Amino acid sequence: MRHLVDGDPAANNGGWQWAAGTGMDAAPYFRVFNPVSQGLRFDPNGDYVRRWVPELRGIEGAAVHEPWWNGGAPGYPERIIDHGIARRRAIEAYRVARR
């Protein structure tokens, strides 16, 4: 917070949680943040990713958002979660909690 000109815990903490895909979303419970779909929507050609993640610069186009489907990239870690599976697990947990 000390590095932000307009740091405000109420706004920044919630905003960063949303951007990072952590924390709870108020409604609807079935809306689960997915960084791949966000990347495809807001960076369809992958230009932003290639600019800031040098390990992925050799991957062309939108494939940069899912490098594991193309054999990965040297120096870039393997994916640690399958968002399709994680989404189903989260929705089931939310459904159970709502009972």
Side-chain angles (χ1 to χ4, degrees), residues 59-95:
I59 298 176
E60 295 183 20
V64 75
H65 296 293
E66 299 177 287
W68 50 88
W69 293 125
N70 298 310
Y76 191 76
E78 298 280 334
R79 85 174 160 166
I80 58 173
I81 190 166
D82 179 318
H83 283 281
I85 294 170
R87 180 180 188 277
R88 288 190 293 276
R89 287 178 57 203
I91 289 172
E92 178 60 19
Y94 296 154
R95 187 185 64 73

Side-chain angles (χ1 to χ4, degrees), residues 23-82:
M24 299 296 290
D25 192 3
Y29 77 93
F30 54 83
R31 186 172 69 188
V32 178
F33 186 87
N34 184 326
V36 172
S37 62
Q38 290 292 303
L40 292 169
R41 180 175 178 194
F42 295 105
D43 183 28
N45 297 320
D47 297 330
Y48 182 86
V49 173
R50 276 187 294 283
R51 177 178 179 183
W52 297 105
V53 185
E55 298 87 352
L56 299 179
R57 288 185 182 152
I59 298 176
E60 295 183 20
V64 75
H65 296 293
E66 299 177 287
W68 50 88
W69 293 125
N70 298 310
Y76 191 76
E78 298 280 334
R79 85 174 160 166
I80 58 173
I81 190 166
D82 179 318

